[in-house]
C-alpha cells in the first residue's frame, strides 16, 4: 500500500508539474513579444501568440453560463475535486505511528502491547550491533498487521550488511515470535555518522 501511494503521488506531482510548466511556458512565450518568425511554427488557431492575449477570452468564459446545466455541473465537478483532495490527504496519514499491537495469547482473545515499548526493544537490539551508533524504530500499519520502519545511523567502521542481517535475524525475528505474528515486514534505511577527517602525521 505504501509503494502504491508513493507511485500515485509521483504520478500526480509529475502531471501537475507538466501542466504548470507547459501553461507557464506558453504564456511566457506569448508575453515576450518575439519576432513573427518565431510564431511561424505554431499551429493554426493558437490562442496565445501576442502579449495582449489572455488564457481564456471572455467568449470562452461565458459561453455556457446561460445554460441551466452549467452551474450544477461546475458545482458537482468542484465537489468531486474536493472529495478527491480530502481522500488523498487522509491516505497520507494512514501510516501514522502504531500505538498498540495485538499479541496472540493463545486463548482466542489476545492482549494489547504498547507500540512504543516494542519500538524501544527493537531499537535497543539494533543498537547492540557493532558499529550502530543509533537506531530509530517506528511501527506503522494495523494492530494485527504491523510494519517496522528502522533508520540506522552507522559508524564509519560499521558493516552495513551485517547490521541489517542482525536486525532481521535477531531483533525483528524475536519481536515476531514474541508477539505471535505470522509476519513482521521491516524497512531499513541506513545513514552514516558525520565525522571529521582524521589527520595523519
Amino acid at each position: 500500500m505504501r509503494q502504491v501511494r508513493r507511485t500515485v503521488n509521483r504520478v500526480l506531482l509529475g502531471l501537475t508539474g507538466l501542466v504548470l510548466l507547459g501553461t507557464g511556458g506558453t504564456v511566457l512565450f506569448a508575453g515576450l513579444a518575439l519576432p513573427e518568425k518565431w510564431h511561424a511554427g505554431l499551429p493554426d488557431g493558437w490562442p496565445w501568440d501576442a502579449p495582449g492575449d489572455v488564457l481564456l477570452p471572455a467568449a470562452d468564459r461565458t459561453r455556457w453560463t446561460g445554460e441551466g446545466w452549467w452551474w450544477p455541473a461546475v458545482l458537482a465537478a468542484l465537489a468531486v475535486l474536493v472529495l478527491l483532495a480530502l481522500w488523498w490527504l487522509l491516505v497520507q496519514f494512514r501510516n501514522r505511528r502504531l500505538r498498540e499491537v495485538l499479541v496472540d495469547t493463545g486463548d482466542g482473545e489476545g492482549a494489547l502491547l504498547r507500540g512504543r515499548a516494542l519500538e524501544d526493544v527493537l531499537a535497543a537490539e539494533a543498537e547492540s550491533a557493532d558499529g550502530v551508533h543509533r537506531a530509530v524504530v517506528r511501527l506503522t500499519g494495523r494492530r494485527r498487521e504491523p510494519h517496522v520502519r528502522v533508520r540506522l545511523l552507522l559508524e564509519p567502521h560499521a558493516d552495513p550488511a551485517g547490521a541489517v542481517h542482525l536486525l532481521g535475524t535477531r531483533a525483528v525475528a524475536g519481536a515476531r515470535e514474541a508477539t505471535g505474528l505470522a509476519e513482521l515486514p521491516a524497512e531499513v534505511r541506513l545513514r552514516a555518522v558525520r565525522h571529521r577527517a582524521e589527520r595523519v602525521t
Side-chain angles (χ1 to χ4, degrees), residues 113-149:
L113 173 65
R114 289 182 58 228
R116 185 62 62 87
L118 185 56
E119 290 174 351
D120 292 341
V121 171
L122 288 170
E125 287 282 351
E127 291 175 355
S128 66
D130 182 40
V132 177
H133 178 74
R134 185 185 178 194
V136 179
V137 180
R138 183 174 181 180
L139 290 177
T140 61
R142 302 178 180 178
R143 295 191 304 177
R144 294 180 181 272
E145 299 177 354
H147 298 264
V148 181
R149 300 177 66 180

Side-chain angles (χ1 to χ4, degrees), residues 13-189:
L13 288 175
L15 291 176
T16 303
L18 287 176
V19 171
L20 293 177
L21 183 63
T23 304
T26 303
V27 175
L28 179 63
F29 180 78
L32 290 177
L34 297 174
E36 288 296 329
K37 64 179 181 179
W38 291 89
H39 299 271
L42 297 176
D44 295 335
W46 188 258
W48 312 305
D49 59 0
D53 292 338
V54 294
L55 291 177
L56 288 176
D60 292 336
R61 294 196 306 268
T62 60
R63 180 180 302 176
W64 295 297
T65 53
E67 302 292 337
W69 55 267
W70 171 248
W71 290 113
V74 170
L75 294 177
L78 292 177
V80 170
L81 289 177
V82 169
L83 291 177
L84 288 175
L86 290 176
W87 170 81
W88 177 82
L89 183 63
L90 292 176
V91 168
Q92 307 308 308
F93 294 98
R94 285 189 63 181
N95 281 344
R96 62 184 183 278
R97 173 172 285 178
L98 191 62
R99 295 184 178 181
E100 298 173 336
V101 176
L102 186 60
V103 179
D104 185 8
T105 56
D107 56 2
E109 295 185 359
L112 293 178
L113 173 65
R114 289 182 58 228
R116 185 62 62 87
L118 185 56
E119 290 174 351
D120 292 341
V121 171
L122 288 170
E125 287 282 351
E127 291 175 355
S128 66
D130 182 40
V132 177
H133 178 74
R134 185 185 178 194
V136 179
V137 180
R138 183 174 181 180
L139 290 177
T140 61
R142 302 178 180 178
R143 295 191 304 177
R144 294 180 181 272
E145 299 177 354
H147 298 264
V148 181
R149 300 177 66 180
V150 185
R151 287 185 299 168
L152 295 180
L153 195 60
L154 302 180
E155 299 284 354
H157 67 277
D159 176 19
V164 173
H165 178 72
L166 185 63
L167 176 68
T169 57
R170 189 170 72 182
V172 176
R176 179 179 56 78
E177 294 177 1
T179 54
L181 295 170
E183 59 181 10
L184 185 58
E187 175 185 339
V188 183
R189 295 186 179 183

